[in-house]
């Protein structure tokens, strides 16, 4: 997990070569920031940055092998390592001398740390350079966190800010703010600032300071609607209206959530686990986790909800009158 590598970096255990791969940009950026802090005397402005779509990799190696000037150690970030993914080499913009890189990786410069960034979902494991890079570099997989990994990450972020947040409160923060890591990091910073960077984050503090995302409110609205919790449905609905959401859009979002619930129910019947469901449906694992934590209605109930929502969507788009009231009556009637 990325947090384990972060702990090593914080202890000053900085290696010569890192490979940052994956599409979670916040984890990539955070890893680079931690390396900057860990290298003595290093600042962001002193980092050597290269774009390997614009320059060949041998340029990076030349800079890495040069003795540092006015500093003891150099930090180099080389982004867009396209040669690590499945592409036609004849279409590469730059003539990368990969044989030179392969030899360099076996004996990297002791006075430099080079961070190769490959922000892609998958690397081409068949390529020789990919195998050698993974053998000699510290690999940081910047992939979407889920379940225990996400709560652990939040708890560590809080500790870094001088405050404590327990697992239950971390899960509640995710429920409030969603699963985007940049958003969560910002909210942890806000909570720590509120506590003057000392103390414990409670659910009450999270409730006071963290705005619930519209997506999470729509999930709450859908969950309460399909389970006939009418009072809760109306309360969430009115909150969304006060936040400027439109009834037509809300009806569409509710229908989308119901369709997702139908898919989750079907896949669970087939024996799929949380990560398998998320991969199959191309959604964040935390959305699946939220649904699997609840007792989802039976398929006939969900299918009726979807049919009713199609009817209300047509009414909202074709009939005049108070759209807010029309959707409110629909929620009051329930299934």
């Amino acid at each position: 997990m990325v947090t384990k590598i972060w702990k090593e970096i914080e202890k000053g255990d900085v290696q010569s070569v890192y490979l940052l791969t994956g599409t979670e940009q916040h984890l990539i950026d955070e890893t680079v920031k931690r390396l900057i802090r860990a290298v003595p005397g290093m600042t962001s402005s002193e980092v050597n940055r290269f774009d390997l779509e614009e320059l060949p990799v041998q340029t990076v190696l030349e800079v890495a092998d040069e003795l540092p000037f006015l500093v003891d150690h150099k930090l180099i970030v080389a982004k867009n390592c396209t040669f690590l993914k499945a592409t036609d080499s004849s279409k590469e913009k730059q003539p990368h001398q990969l044989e030179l890189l392969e030899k360099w990786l076996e004996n990297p410069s002791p006075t430099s740390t080079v961070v190769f960034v490959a922000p892609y979902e998958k690397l081409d494991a068949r390529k020789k350079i990919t195998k050698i890079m993974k053998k000699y570099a510290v690999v940081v997989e910047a992939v979407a966190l889920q379940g225990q990994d996400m709560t652990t990450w939040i708890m560590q972020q809080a500790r870094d800010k001088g405050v404590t947040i327990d697992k239950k409160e971390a899960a509640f923060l995710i429920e409030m703010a969603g699963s985007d890591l940049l958003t969560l990091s910002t909210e942890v910073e806000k909570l720590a600032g509120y506590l003057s960077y000392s103390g414990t984050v409670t659910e009450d503090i999270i409730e006071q300071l963290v705005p619930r995302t519209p997506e999470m409110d729509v999930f709450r609205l859908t969950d309460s609607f399909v389970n006939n919790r009418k009072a809760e449905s109306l309360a969430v609905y009115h909150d969304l209206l006060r936040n400027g959401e439109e009834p037509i859009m809300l009806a569409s979002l509710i229908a989308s959530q119901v369709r997702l619930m139908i898919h989750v129910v079907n896949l669970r019947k087939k024996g799929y686990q949380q990560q398998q469901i998320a991969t199959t449906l191309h959604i964040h694992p935390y959305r699946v986790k939220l649904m699997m934590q609840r007792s989802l209605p039976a398929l006939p109930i969900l299918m009726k909800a979807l049919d009713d929502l199609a009817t209300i969507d047509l009414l909202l788009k074709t009939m005049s009158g108070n759209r807010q009231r029309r959707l409110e009556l629909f929620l009051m009637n329930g299934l």
Side-chain angles (χ1 to χ4, degrees):
M1 185 183 173
V2 64
T3 52
K4 181 180 178 181
I5 297 173
W6 286 353
K7 288 179 181 178
E8 293 171 355
I9 293 172
E10 287 172 4
K11 293 177 182 177
D13 186 12
V14 177
Q15 301 300 310
S16 297
V17 186
Y18 289 85
L19 171 60
L20 278 51
T21 178
T23 56
E24 192 64 70
Q25 188 62 42
H26 178 71
L27 295 180
I28 292 175
D29 294 341
E30 184 65 23
T31 303
V32 173
K33 288 179 183 177
R34 288 171 184 266
L35 284 168
I36 292 172
R37 292 200 297 265
V39 176
M42 182 61 60
T43 64
S44 182
S45 62
E46 293 172 317
V47 176
N48 292 275
R49 300 179 187 270
F50 297 91
D51 186 343
L52 295 183
E53 287 186 342
E54 305 297 332
L55 292 169
V57 71
Q58 51 268 30
T59 302
V60 175
L61 306 184
E62 290 171 4
V63 173
D65 287 337
E66 292 173 355
L67 290 175
F69 179 67
L70 298 178
V71 292
D72 295 329
H73 199 83
K74 287 189 289 187
L75 180 60
I76 301 168
V77 177
K79 68 177 184 177
N80 295 325
C81 298
T82 54
F83 50 81
L84 293 174
K85 66 176 184 176
T87 55
D88 184 351
S89 58
S90 64
K91 295 181 179 180
E92 284 278 3
K93 294 181 180 179
Q94 295 299 324
H96 298 297
Q97 295 181 17
L98 298 183
E99 296 83 2
L100 187 63
L101 174 58
E102 291 166 7
K103 292 179 181 179
W104 184 87
L105 286 169
E106 295 177 6
N107 187 29
S109 171
T111 57
S112 298
T113 291
V114 182
V115 182
F116 293 97
V117 182
Y120 317 117
E121 188 173 349
K122 288 184 179 180
L123 303 183
D124 191 342
R126 300 168 298 177
K127 288 185 174 182
K128 182 181 178 182
I129 185 59
T130 304
K131 296 175 183 177
I132 293 176
M133 182 73 78
K134 286 186 174 182
K135 178 180 178 181
Y136 291 103
V138 176
V139 180
V140 177
E141 295 185 350
V143 296
L145 301 180
Q146 55 179 299
Q148 184 64 41
D149 287 346
M150 183 171 286
T151 54
T152 300
W153 177 81
I154 290 174
M155 292 165 70
Q156 181 171 350
Q157 290 286 297
R159 283 196 297 272
D160 291 345
K161 303 293 189 300
V163 298
T164 301
I165 182 168
D166 294 330
K167 289 182 180 180
K168 181 181 177 183
E169 285 69 30
F172 182 64
L173 176 59
I174 297 170
E175 184 175 339
M176 288 287 288
S179 55
D180 179 73
L181 296 186
L182 180 57
T183 300
L184 287 169
S185 179
T186 301
E187 295 301 337
V188 170
E189 177 70 39
K190 183 201 300 181
L191 293 166
Y194 176 79
L195 292 171
S196 299
Y197 301 96
S198 177
T200 300
V201 177
T202 64
E203 282 195 16
D204 286 341
I205 294 174
I206 296 172
E207 188 82 55
Q208 291 175 38
L209 299 182
V210 179
R212 196 183 295 272
T213 63
E215 293 80 10
M216 298 306 295
D217 273 335
V218 169
F219 175 78
R220 287 176 60 215
L221 176 57
T222 306
D223 182 60
S224 57
F225 169 68
V226 297
N227 286 287
N228 275 317
R229 299 196 300 271
K230 298 177 184 178
E232 182 181 342
S233 295
L234 293 173
V236 177
Y237 175 59
H238 289 148
D239 283 343
L240 286 164
L241 290 179
R242 281 192 289 271
N243 289 333
E245 306 296 345
E246 291 293 329
I248 292 178
M249 185 202 71
L250 290 176
S252 176
L253 290 175
I254 296 169
S256 176
Q257 286 285 344
V258 172
R259 281 192 293 271
L260 183 57
M261 289 179 176
I262 291 171
H263 288 310
V264 170
V265 170
N266 277 324
L267 291 174
R268 287 186 71 179
K269 283 186 176 180
K270 293 179 180 180
Y272 283 53
Q273 299 303 311
Q274 178 181 319
Q275 183 58 48
Q276 292 174 303
I277 294 174
T279 301
T280 301
L281 300 179
H282 303 290
I283 60 174
H284 197 284
Y286 188 73
R287 292 184 65 190
V288 180
K289 179 184 176 182
L290 280 179
M291 291 187 179
M292 294 180 71
Q293 284 177 337
R294 290 163 168 79
S295 178
L296 295 178
L299 275 177
I301 295 175
L302 291 173
M303 294 301 293
K304 182 180 185 303
L306 195 59
D307 185 62
D308 290 348
L309 283 162
T311 301
I312 194 65
D313 181 69
L314 179 63
L315 291 173
L316 289 172
K317 291 177 179 177
T318 58
M319 298 183 68
S320 59
N322 188 327
R323 290 192 177 92
Q324 293 184 359
R325 181 61 175 167
R326 191 174 296 280
L327 185 54
E328 181 182 54
L329 289 173
F330 172 75
L331 295 172
M332 289 176 62
N333 291 332
L335 292 175

